[in-house]
Amino acid sequence: MNHAEQQLPANSRHANETVLIAGCGRLGQAVGLQLQAEGARVFGLRRRPEQLPAGIEPIQADLMDTAQLSKCLPQGTSKNFAGTTIRPGVEDAVNPSLEASWRHPWRQDLHTEADGGAGEVFRGHPQDISLIYYIVTPAQFDDQSYRSAFVDGLSNLRAALINRGQSPRRLVFVSSTGVYGQQQGEWIDETSPTEPGRFSGQRLLEAEQLAADCPWPSAIARLGGIYGPGRDMFINKVKKGEPCRPDGFTNRIHSDDAVGMLVHLGRATTPAGIYLGVDDEPTTQCQVMEFIAEQLGLPSPPRDEASSSNTRGVGSKRGDNSKLKASGFRFQYPTFREGYQELIRADL
């Protein structure tokens, strides 16, 4: 937390902000609840909004359906009466059929239940969205699913936001360390070459560029592997006596720190840009699983010497989180040890 944030009560750091979280799955919901606790009004956009917790207001929409997105998003105030973008340098993406509603916003009749939107939430009341999170999960692990979720979805949302006269102060886009293709345990940071060998990293990198090209500032979070409550794969592998891979560095972040980082990147006091979301200690899989076994009082897992990170195509790199920490962020779980110790205590 930086000095400016320390001057604000925890429940007012996002006061008077309207936040839209596109995707709003498990990670997005945790971010939304934290923002709501800090004073923001939070909307969750997803195809099945009935799964959202209390505190996050639902918007039912499909990121692949541009017409539905334009219906479901609130009208903003960033257009002048001629339908031209006020913000200089932004390409206008006006839908002429909506021009009358911009000139007479009190006549809007948005989000009826028949629209599948947010009911009467925005009826007749223009609402500026100040902060947007894009936190989606592809339906499947294949190229088309990644392209649809990250590239097409973000492109559609961007167009719909501009169409609705929205000009948020920031977009926070959740990416992955999968955009890096390093194989030899190299240290990486936000300036390192991004040459992913897998389709997943390639599509994420394409979406990152879309986010950076949006007509508003963006913060891009390249998260490592997330672990935490409900994300305890390594604990289960150790209990089953499964082997570990001794080669190849991996990077991770506790789910609580992932949430904290995304909330941090949404604050006006945090500079925009790209940030690596990994803890202080890159490790091999065996280092993590051997630690877990020791904590559980179980035998060390056997080593799978035949497996290679290079042949699996996942790479081997060590993430440097110096930029994130320099921005004022502090980890609750600086390494995997603190995080897994707490998980194991909760499981006993």
Side-chain angles (χ1 to χ4, degrees):
M1 183 182 303
N2 59 35
H3 179 73
E5 291 170 5
Q6 289 176 337
Q7 309 307 309
L8 295 172
N11 63 355
S12 65
R13 292 180 190 138
H14 285 276
N16 303 317
E17 284 218 280
T18 298
V19 181
L20 174 67
I21 301 177
C24 210
R26 177 161 47 166
L27 181 59
Q29 290 172 29
V31 170
L33 291 175
Q34 180 61 43
L35 292 169
Q36 192 266 343
E38 294 187 7
R41 185 183 188 189
V42 180
F43 292 91
L45 187 155
R46 52 182 294 158
R47 283 174 293 181
R48 295 182 177 178
E50 65 273 8
Q51 300 173 359
L52 293 174
I56 299 179
E57 300 181 52
I59 296 179
Q60 184 175 4
D62 187 338
L63 288 165
M64 296 299 102
D65 188 334
T66 53
Q68 187 186 44
L69 280 173
S70 287
K71 287 182 180 179
C72 289
L73 294 175
Q75 176 64 48
T77 59
S78 296
K79 300 284 183 178
N80 65 17
F81 287 160
T84 303
T85 305
I86 292 174
R87 184 171 179 164
V90 178
E91 180 182 357
D92 191 26
V94 175
N95 179 344
S97 67
L98 298 174
E99 185 174 345
S101 69
W102 291 333
R103 290 177 176 173
H104 305 288
W106 56 88
R107 294 183 183 174
Q108 290 181 52
D109 192 15
L110 303 176
H111 293 291
T112 64
E113 294 299 336
D115 291 332
E120 304 294 324
V121 173
F122 299 119
R123 182 185 291 274
H125 299 285
Q127 176 73 63
D128 284 322
I129 298 171
S130 54
L131 178 60
I132 295 172
Y133 285 87
Y134 196 86
I135 312 176
V136 299
T137 302
Q140 301 180 59
F141 188 71
D142 59 48
D143 193 12
Q144 184 54 50
S145 295
Y146 267 69
R147 183 187 300 276
S148 295
F150 291 107
V151 180
D152 297 341
L154 181 58
S155 180
N156 292 341
L157 181 63
R158 174 191 181 277
L161 287 164
I162 294 175
N163 233 359
R164 300 302 294 156
Q166 294 291 346
S167 184
R169 63 171 180 79
R170 180 168 298 185
L171 163 69
V172 179
F173 177 79
V174 175
S175 184
S176 162
T177 54
V179 299
Y180 298 100
Q182 284 78 351
Q183 299 281 341
Q184 305 301 321
E186 301 98 319
W187 281 98
I188 57 168
D189 62 15
E190 293 78 4
T191 65
S192 299
T194 49
E195 299 173 347
R198 307 175 91 186
F199 68 84
S200 53
Q202 292 164 3
R203 298 302 154 245
L204 281 167
L205 200 59
E206 189 176 349
E208 283 189 11
Q209 189 60 54
L210 278 174
D213 289 342
C214 280
W216 41 77
S218 63
I220 295 170
R222 291 175 176 169
L223 297 181
I226 301 175
Y227 74 101
R231 304 175 189 260
D232 50 3
M233 177 185 68
F234 283 168
I235 293 177
N236 292 330
K237 287 173 71 73
V238 169
K239 289 180 177 178
K240 294 176 182 178
E242 295 182 8
C244 63
R245 297 191 295 266
D247 74 320
F249 283 96
T250 58
N251 303 270
R252 61 194 47 79
I253 185 170
H254 192 282
S255 55
D256 288 352
D257 282 325
V259 171
M261 173 187 177
L262 294 178
V263 172
H264 176 72
L265 294 187
R267 291 183 177 138
T269 51
T270 304
I274 298 173
Y275 292 86
L276 267 181
V278 298
D279 68 18
D280 290 349
E281 189 173 342
T283 63
T284 66
Q285 188 185 93
C286 278
Q287 285 178 286
V288 176
M289 290 178 63
E290 287 168 356
F291 175 80
I292 293 170
E294 179 183 354
Q295 297 297 304
L296 291 173
L298 296 175
S300 290
R303 291 179 166 233
D304 183 4
E305 302 290 351
S307 179
S308 164
S309 63
N310 289 345
T311 58
R312 292 192 311 277
V314 297
S316 172
K317 61 256 185 182
R318 291 180 283 178
D320 181 348
N321 61 19
S322 296
K323 180 179 177 181
L324 178 61
K325 292 198 290 187
S327 74
F329 182 73
R330 296 294 176 264
F331 284 86
Q332 295 184 57
Y333 304 96
T335 76
F336 70 91
R337 296 177 184 83
E338 295 87 353
Y340 275 106
Q341 281 177 334
E342 184 165 309
L343 285 175
I344 290 168
R345 282 195 297 268
D347 192 46
L348 293 177

